[in-house]
Each structure stands twice: as structure tokens, then as C-alpha cells.
Amino acid sequence: MEHLPMAQGTFHIITFGCQMNVNDSFWLARSLQRRGFVESPLEKAEVVILNTCSVRDKPEQKVYAALGRIKYETRRVPSSFAVVAGCVAQQIGAGFFERFPQVRLVVGGDGLAMAPDAIERLHGDPSLRLNLTDFSEIYPERDPALPAQGEGEIPPVAFVNIMQGCDNFCTYCIVPFTRGRQKSRDAGAILDECRALIDNGAKEITLLGQNVNSYGLDKHASGDTSFTRLLRKVSELPGLARLRFVTPHPKDLSPEVIAMFGEVPNLCPRLHLPLQAGSDRVLARMNRKYDMARYMTLVEGLRAARPDIALSTDLIVGFPGETEEQFQETLDAVRAVNFMSSFSFCYSDRPGTAASRHTDKVEPAEKLRRLERLQALQEDLSSDWLKARVGCKTDILLEGASRKQDGEDAATESWQGRDPWGDAVNVSLPAGIGKPGLIVPVIIVTAKKHSLIGELRG
Ligand code: SAH
Ligand code: SF4
Ligand code: F3S
């Protein structure tokens, strides 16, 4: 029998940034709970953990503001201290100890595996401070921290890291500095984690990494598993209803992976494929290693393999030197691909990057005007996408109960879930039949601004 963990302190995690950070925070919370720590509201927490993002200046500034706020909120918890994890931790390192004395642990992406041990030590010894910002040579495998079979709840939608870091050095991007070189994770460990998640109730898995489809191409990769082989092996795990991966890089999207969208039934018909800009000149200056012609060939290949595939993307406006005409090429590209959604950002200077040294910066007000024009176009395309979904028969993977819809009575419950394209769908079900992880057949009846409404079909 496993020993019961000793009662420890209370903790609270605040997460910024990408899905990798969200997943890291989720793991850290489970791992601390297994050691007897209890999650609590911020004002009662002894250990306050900030999992940080440095991809643009704004999320970095939020970290410093949050540290000030935390000091105020936890002023009545005498033993409280702060932990800074993630990309700003890696970027600033021990500098946090000088600027913010309440910080006693700084831990980067590779060091996170050691964070639960470190937090336990810090909790027991108020004189200690630790800095875990060294990069490791291989993928830093972690204690799985999964509930034992039948012991606990795993959300039906799960995320599994398959790599850490990035080797691409896009000229605007800080990630290769904050997450280090690309390190592929051992395929056996990935498959074990997927199996354990499925055994605990996961129905959908998203494989995660900064360049998921470059899996296995780095010198740290063990064995000869390619991304194609890995994807196929995960898709064949019994009980897995849906499989996705994020984020792929267009330069490494292979014909085999494209073909799999037409062949593998549980691979969802949705791909987030960052384009960044529609001008070949700007793409070259960003060091993206593809041009528009190559990107459009990928789009055509994906649509030939899976005609109903939906594409979404990331875009940057106002990269140094971007002209009005070059920006219009981004608008043209967005129309040509017809993205169902996109994340778009004003270019932001990041320390140490090549683009930050360019002298031909675009004025902030002009960047904002371009962003608004791009987002207005995307709103129209996204709205057209949702409207075109009305009448479609599809399946919804339920994630949780939602607010009651207009006209609902006590005999029904409202549930929120997603269709295979990743759209949020609300559906009203007879009371008592819904549960997270259940897949229900629906017909889409209404398109709202950012979501859909479905009706159960028999
Ligand atoms: N690995 C992924 C995403 C990395 S970061 C990829 O290769 O696309 C997520 C998004 O943030 C990027 O796709 C990019 O659109 C945006 N981004 C990264 N650095 C940025 C910067 N300096 N300024 C503005 N946006 C940036
Ligand atoms: Fe950043 Fe480019 Fe790597 Fe993506 S591929 S994380 S944008 S350097
Ligand atoms: Fe941000 Fe680091 Fe993710 S910079 S986007 S948290 S990899």
C-alpha cells in the first residue's frame, strides 16, 4: 500500500502563456497534491507559484505586476513565499532574488521536474533559496503524478508533452532562449503517459511541443521514432477517440503526416499551422524557412487529404520593415487560406533576438491599426465558418456543465463540449445523462458569435 502523504502547506498557481505552461502547471499542481500540499485561494497560500511567459513584452510585465500584488494579498500568511517558473524565470534567473525578496525559487522549463522536491525543501527551511535554471542535455522526464487507477479524475481532454525547446531561431522569437534547444522525449515514455491518461478517462489527447512535427529530428532524440510513426502509434491506442497536435512548423510538415489526415479516423480535421506573415520578403526576414507558395501547397495537400479540414494560424503584424503593401499580403493570404480562426499580435521586441536589433521598426500606432484591420477580417471569416456549420451532424465530446440556456427547464441540463473541429458547442441534455468525457451525437442548430448550439439527435 502506498503511504499517505504528510499534511504540508497550501499553494496557489497563476499561469500565463501557452498550452505547454498550462499543462506544466497542471502537472505541478498534481505533483504537489500527491505530496500533501493543498491548493488554496491566493490570500491563504503559503507557496504562490507564477508560471510565466516571455513571448511578448506584455506577459513579461504582467509577472512583475503580479509579484507586487501577491506580496499584498499574502501579507497575512507569515511563512508565504513566491516561486517563479517558466520562460521569464529562465530569462531573468537569479535576478528575481534581488528585485523581489519574496521569491525563493526560480525554475525554468527543464528544471520543473525538480520543482516539487525543491518546494518541499523550501517549505521546511525558510533560510533557503534555490535557482533551477540550468538546461538539461536530454528531455527532463518527470514523475508522472497521475492518480492511481480509479483513484482520481483526469479531464477527458488531456495534453502530453513530446518535446521541449526549439532550434528554429525565428528572428523575432525568444523561445529558443527561454526553452533551450529542441529535445525530443522518449517515445516509450510518451506512449506510457498516453495509455495511463486513457486508463484514467481521457478521451482526447493533444501532443504538445514548440515544433511537434520536428519530433525526432534533434540530436537529443533517442531511438529512430519519427513524428509520423509516433502519431500513428498514439492514434492506435485503444480507447482514444480524438487526437490532435500543436504546434507544427510548416517547414517540417511532411507528406506522410498530411496523408494521415485522410487515413487516421481519430485524427481530428483541424490543424493550427502558424503562418506569421503573407509576404515572402517578411517571411525571409523572420527566418521562417518557407514562402507563401510552399505554405499554399501544404494547404492544398491538407484539403485534398481531408476536404473538411479547418485551418487556424498565428500572425504577427508590424515586423520591423514591414510595409503597407507587405501587410496587405498578409490580409490576402488570410483570405486565400480562409482560416477558421487566428491569433494575431503586434510585433514586440524581445531581448537577445535578431529582429530586436533591426533599426526599421514600425510605429506602435501603425502596428495597432494593422492589427485591427487584420482582426476585423478574421472576425468575418470566423463568423462565416460558424454560420456554415449550422445543419451539420456531428459529435460533441462533453467537457463540463455550462450555464442554462434560455428556455431550459428543470428536466434538462446545459453542457459544453467541442466538435472535432475544436468549435465550442453548447447542448441541452435530459437531466442526469451528461458527464465529462461522454460523446453525444448532435445537429448544429445555431451559430453564436464565438460558439455553436447543438441539439441532441437520436
Ligand atoms: N512554436 C510556435 C509558436 C511560438 S510562440 C510557432 O513556431 O509558431 C506563439 C506565437 O507568438 C507565435 O506563433 C508568434 O505568432 C507569436 N510571437 C512570438 N514572438 C513574438 C514577438 N516577438 N512579437 C509578437 N508576436 C510574437
Ligand atoms: Fe519561436 Fe519560431 Fe521556435 Fe516557434 S519555431 S518557438 S516562433 S523560434
Ligand atoms: Fe510563452 Fe514560453 Fe510558451 S515564452 S508561449 S510560455 S514557451
Side-chain angles (χ1 to χ4, degrees), residues 310-345:
L311 300 171
S312 53
T313 203
D314 289 349
L315 298 156
I316 296 175
V317 301
F319 183 79
E322 184 189 68
T323 63
E324 165 63 23
E325 290 69 32
Q326 288 167 340
F327 166 66
Q328 287 183 19
E329 290 182 70
T330 297
L331 296 178
D332 292 343
V334 167
R335 276 189 214 98
V337 181
N338 193 11
F339 291 111
M340 55 99 75
S341 76
S342 60
F343 296 115
S344 45
F345 315 98

Side-chain angles (χ1 to χ4, degrees), residues 160-163 184-191 194 207-208 212 215-216 224-237 243 260:
V160 174
N161 277 354
I162 68 166
M163 60 161 57
S184 293
R185 185 179 177 195
D186 177 67
I190 296 170
L191 287 161
C194 292
L207 303 180
L208 279 184
V212 264
Y215 176 83
D224 61 349
T225 310
S226 65
F227 181 63
T228 321
R229 269 197 293 270
L230 180 71
L231 198 59
R232 196 169 289 281
K233 280 188 182 155
V234 177
S235 76
E236 286 164 358
L237 293 175
L243 175 58
M260 282 175 72

Side-chain angles (χ1 to χ4, degrees), residues 90-199:
Q90 192 70 51
Q91 181 195 343
I92 307 289
F96 271 110
F97 298 139
E98 282 136 46
R99 282 185 64 187
F100 301 96
Q102 76 269 38
V103 174
R104 290 180 47 216
L105 171 62
V106 180
V107 51
D110 284 5
L112 197 73
M114 296 180 282
D117 269 349
I119 290 171
E120 234 172 11
R121 284 179 60 202
L122 291 162
H123 189 251
D125 180 355
S127 66
L128 202 63
R129 268 176 172 181
L130 293 169
N131 179 356
L132 299 176
T133 48
D134 284 344
F135 286 119
S136 59
E137 202 31 47
I138 55 165
Y139 180 89
E141 203 52 59
R142 300 169 186 168
D143 140 30
L146 278 171
Q149 181 93 43
E151 186 191 36
E153 290 284 298
I154 284 286
V157 175
F159 296 83
V160 174
N161 277 354
I162 68 166
M163 60 161 57
Q164 179 78 274
C166 178
D167 287 345
N168 285 328
F169 291 94
C170 300
T171 54
Y172 51 81
C173 188
I174 199 167
V175 171
F177 305 96
T178 58
R179 292 265 167 173
R181 292 295 68 69
Q182 178 176 311
K183 295 181 281 275
S184 293
R185 185 179 177 195
D186 177 67
I190 296 170
L191 287 161
D192 285 348
E193 183 172 342
C194 292
R195 272 189 218 101
L197 288 165
I198 296 169
D199 286 350

